Amino acid sequence: MTDGAAVTDIDSARFRSVLGRFATGVVAITGIDAGSGRPTGLAANSFTSVSLDPPLVAFCVAHTSSTWPLLRAADRLCINILSEPQIEVCKRLAVKGGDKFADITWTGSPGGSPVIEGALAWIEVSVEQEHVAGDHVIVVARVRALDKHHEGEPLLFYRGGYGRFAG
């Protein structure tokens, strides 16, 4: 706003610039690819709790994701809340193709999905609903198990970059 009037020219660069001023945490959504039996995952900063009863969470995935169809086919997924030192894990999971889990240490959640070493916490889920919303899918998932994993500070995404909480 420059003269008291609302800006109505909302192109994607402006939208990204303005919403980038909202700091978010970063999660890694992981699962076992049913076709290969290998771990796979993606990074997301659009994650939130939805309901306490029943316990539900939600995250958003771009329609262009080549990893989401592999994860969607899994019975259970694991949402790993990434810690500040895990920037490289986040970047690896954000790229298309390749062995995303090369050099990533993990153990299995109760349902077998990857819990990434160094994550602050993990949440095992099963997909309940998907809602198409513009260029993304909003995924609502039921929490099946969860726990704290490591102590530390969260990995934050703000204004197009990664950082940490100072306080």
Side-chain angles (χ1 to χ4, degrees):
M1 298 175 71
T2 56
D3 61 3
V7 176
T8 57
D9 181 20
I10 305 174
D11 63 30
S12 61
R14 182 177 186 80
F15 186 78
R16 184 181 298 246
S17 173
V18 171
L19 271 67
R21 294 175 184 268
F22 180 69
T24 64
V26 183
V27 298
I29 301 164
T30 61
I32 301 296
D33 176 357
S36 69
R38 298 179 52 90
T40 191
L42 57 85
N45 69 330
S46 55
F47 169 75
T48 189
S49 62
V50 174
S51 169
L52 290 173
D53 187 17
L56 300 172
V57 296
F59 54 89
C60 298
V61 180
H63 290 296
T64 57
S65 172
S66 57
T67 305
W68 176 240
L70 303 175
L71 289 170
R72 179 63 181 96
D75 182 45
R76 297 284 170 99
L77 303 175
C78 192
I79 300 166
N80 294 263
I81 300 174
L82 297 181
S83 63
E84 189 269 329
Q86 294 183 297
I87 293 172
E88 291 307 315
V89 170
C90 175
K91 289 179 179 179
R92 178 167 295 158
L93 294 177
V95 298
K96 289 188 182 285
D99 181 2
K100 293 184 176 194
F101 270 80
D103 301 322
I104 294 178
T105 303
W106 62 278
T107 57
S109 67
S113 296
V115 174
I116 298 173
E117 183 65 30
L120 298 176
W122 58 268
I123 306 159
E124 186 175 68
V125 300
S126 59
V127 174
E128 289 266 315
Q129 301 170 2
E130 293 180 69
H131 305 279
V132 174
D135 58 5
H136 279 66
V137 174
I138 301 168
V139 179
V140 178
R142 183 178 295 261
V143 176
R144 302 296 180 173
L146 73 165
D147 206 353
K148 297 177 207 169
H149 196 47
H150 288 280
E151 293 299 322
E153 298 299 322
L155 177 60
L156 299 179
F157 188 74
Y158 178 69
R159 295 179 75 175
Y162 299 99
R164 61 186 173 122
F165 181 75

